[in-house]
Amino acid sequence: GTGQIGDKAGVRVSFGGFNARDFVQGPLSSLDQAARQSPFDRAFHLDARAQVTSQVGAFADVSLSDTRTTEQSPGGPFDTGTFRSSSFRAGVTADTGVGLLSLSADRSETLLSLFADVYGLPLGFAEVQTTEVVQASDLVKLGTDHTLRFALEYRHNADSSRDFLEGTISNTIYAASMMWDWQITPSVSRTNAVRLDYLQLHYDGQFLPASGLTAALYDHTSLAQTSFNSGLVWKATDMDTLRLMAARGVQLPTLLEYGFQTNLGGISPIVFSGRPNLDPSVIWNAELDYDRALASINSTLRTALFAQRIDDIIGNP
């Protein structure tokens, strides 16, 4: 449902959900039944926007969800997971003489619990994930051929669990980026974008003795990575388009990949753990595309030649 507040503001509200029964009642043990609960989903979202002045706009939104899933692991056991999430976001935009300025902040939190029946052994896990983000940007038009966008971002991620983290692991990421769109000729355009991420890691908690890890190893971990993409587009004719692209993407390790540690609830003499000195995965991609409009059959033929390389693939701890 949507509604207006005067002639300068509006609100939209949405909600939904579903129930499902995946399994027919059968001769299952109580542990197996607990690991095969029927899935459901509940979701609520509130979105509000206002035109403060002719040049300034503001927005805010709230989301709540409650979800239960049942999945089967590759080894065969089933598990039931519940996810309760909430998020809040607010921001403002202003059309000024120095460009379109934007500022936004958001915070999200997810409570996760998981129960699994591993060949008659009950295993339960719980964790709390939080993310806080502040973003600022300026979109500038220079003449008719050049568009620039400058952006800054602050991000703090935290993951807390006594079951497979033995504490709280978090990272703080500072990022700066720039985009340049250039209309070289009416039929040729070029887009370049670059981003720099700087990450600092922190851990607060205890370590399983056999892991050999210490808090100092995490607190001394930092990394800086650059990603970019560049594309040249030539619309040779009304029916033919060529694109040449190159990119470097960076997948930073997740908090679980950094800080995971468990001995399977104390039943194993072996500790499975992540590593504080993980390198990010780097993806290189080069691509040449050709599109041809086939007006006679109301279709488009799209072809691509590309080469991709991934360095330092991160495995599951």
Side-chain angles (χ1 to χ4, degrees), residues 83 112 114 125-129 157-171 199 201-203 207 213 218 252-262 272-278 314-317:
F83 307 83
L112 164 66
L114 182 71
F125 306 95
E127 66 173 319
V128 179
Q129 303 171 350
N157 307 293
D159 199 346
S160 300
S161 175
R162 290 296 173 186
D163 296 311
F164 47 80
L165 289 171
E166 299 295 326
T168 300
I169 186 169
S170 62
N171 62 30
L199 177 147
L201 199 62
H202 178 69
Y203 180 84
F207 293 96
L213 300 172
Y218 284 88
L252 301 177
T254 67
L255 293 177
L256 274 180
E257 289 164 344
Y258 273 130
F260 180 86
Q261 54 172 328
T262 183
F272 302 87
S273 68
R275 292 172 48 193
N277 61 340
L278 277 177
I314 300 172
N316 192 321

Side-chain angles (χ1 to χ4, degrees), residues 61-258:
D61 59 71
V62 178
S63 295
L64 303 171
S65 68
D66 187 5
T67 304
R68 185 167 70 190
T69 63
T70 301
E71 299 178 323
Q72 187 179 23
S73 70
F78 281 85
D79 60 63
T80 292
T82 60
F83 307 83
R84 294 181 174 89
S85 300
S86 62
S87 67
F88 175 78
R89 185 172 67 111
V92 62
T93 60
D95 193 355
T96 71
V98 294
L100 181 63
L101 303 178
S102 300
L103 177 65
S104 66
D106 64 81
R107 184 184 190 278
S108 61
E109 179 179 87
T110 299
L111 283 68
L112 164 66
S113 64
L114 182 71
F115 179 85
D117 175 13
V118 184
Y119 306 116
L121 176 68
L123 290 178
F125 306 95
E127 66 173 319
V128 179
Q129 303 171 350
T130 59
T131 301
E132 298 165 349
V133 182
V134 178
Q135 296 173 315
S137 67
D138 184 15
L139 183 66
V140 183
K141 186 80 171 176
L142 301 179
T144 59
D145 299 330
H146 301 275
T147 303
L148 299 174
R149 183 180 185 270
F150 305 91
L152 297 173
E153 180 178 306
Y154 164 86
R155 179 181 294 268
H156 181 76
N157 307 293
D159 199 346
S160 300
S161 175
R162 290 296 173 186
D163 296 311
F164 47 80
L165 289 171
E166 299 295 326
T168 300
I169 186 169
S170 62
N171 62 30
T172 302
I173 300 174
Y174 304 91
S177 62
M178 185 184 76
M179 183 275 295
W180 172 32
D181 185 53
W182 178 19
Q183 191 68 43
I184 303 173
T185 71
S187 60
V188 179
S189 63
R190 179 75 178 267
T191 300
N192 297 294
V194 62
R195 176 184 169 107
L196 173 65
D197 287 271
Y198 177 75
L199 177 147
Q200 292 178 314
L201 199 62
H202 178 69
Y203 180 84
D204 182 16
Q206 298 178 342
F207 293 96
L208 297 175
S211 70
L213 300 172
T214 65
L217 292 174
Y218 284 88
D219 293 342
H220 291 161
T221 295
S222 63
L223 58 88
Q225 287 290 327
T226 301
S227 55
F228 72 87
N229 63 71
S230 180
L232 181 67
V233 180
W234 176 33
K235 191 168 180 58
T237 70
D238 290 340
M239 296 184 294
D240 302 287
T241 302
L242 286 157
R243 287 186 296 272
L244 178 63
M245 297 178 288
R248 182 185 194 266
V250 179
Q251 179 186 354
L252 301 177
T254 67
L255 293 177
L256 274 180
E257 289 164 344
Y258 273 130

